[in-house]
Amino acid sequence: QVQLVESGGGLVQTGDSLKLTCEASGRTFAMAWLRQAPGKQRQFVSAINYVAQGFDYSDSVRGRFTLSRDNTKNTVYLQMNSLRPEDTGVYYCAAGRVRDDYYITSCERDYDIWGRGTQVSVSS
């Protein structure tokens, strides 16, 4: 089974940028980032399909975050700009269960492989 490893998290100040990386051990299809703030449920952040022609972003990050992928490296990147304290949380990378190059979804249950997460903390 494919394994996912996230990296790139850290402690930054409001307005700063971070770039998260998710490396997969094999071929994946739709990929997504979700985050979980302390005491809250995990929420969708962004998703991308395999051919990188379909993108989805939550309203809270649209215009500030950019998702991309390099299929030659089995890697997905989340560029996060203009970070805010409310962006704080553990960011998880996930791989979709639907084996379709054009499929994309924001539904958490459609992702069946998960990384362990990387912490992002934004101070005010």
Side-chain angles (χ1 to χ4, degrees):
Q1 182 175 346
V2 171
Q3 294 183 326
L4 306 177
V5 178
E6 303 97 332
S7 61
L11 173 62
V12 297
Q13 295 184 332
T14 296
D16 285 351
S17 298
L18 277 176
K19 187 174 184 177
L20 304 184
T21 298
C22 174
E23 295 182 67
S25 61
R27 209 259 205 213
T28 60
F29 292 86
M31 295 290 293
W33 287 93
L34 295 90
R35 68 186 180 193
Q36 187 166 22
K40 295 186 177 181
Q41 289 188 329
R42 190 158 54 191
Q43 63 174 188
F44 171 79
V45 174
S46 183
I48 185 171
N49 63 9
Y50 178 78
V51 294
Q53 294 175 359
F55 301 87
D56 196 5
Y57 296 94
S58 68
D59 290 341
S60 62
V61 307
R62 187 174 291 111
R64 300 187 296 123
F65 291 11
T66 302
L67 187 57
S68 61
R69 67 189 297 164
D70 183 345
N71 292 331
T72 65
K73 298 180 180 179
N74 293 324
T75 301
V76 173
Y77 307 97
L78 183 66
Q79 177 66 47
M80 306 187 296
N81 298 330
S82 302
L83 283 163
R84 305 167 181 169
E86 53 265 39
D87 294 319
T88 294
V90 178
Y91 282 68
Y92 296 93
C93 177
R97 66 174 72 246
V98 176
R99 275 44 177 173
D100 183 324
D101 288 351
Y102 292 87
Y103 185 77
I104 185 172
T105 178
S106 62
C107 185
E108 183 173 337
R109 66 173 179 268
D110 288 332
Y111 292 91
D112 61 349
I113 301 174
W114 293 82
R116 293 186 175 183
T118 184
Q119 176 71 44
V120 172
S121 300
V122 185
S123 64
S124 56

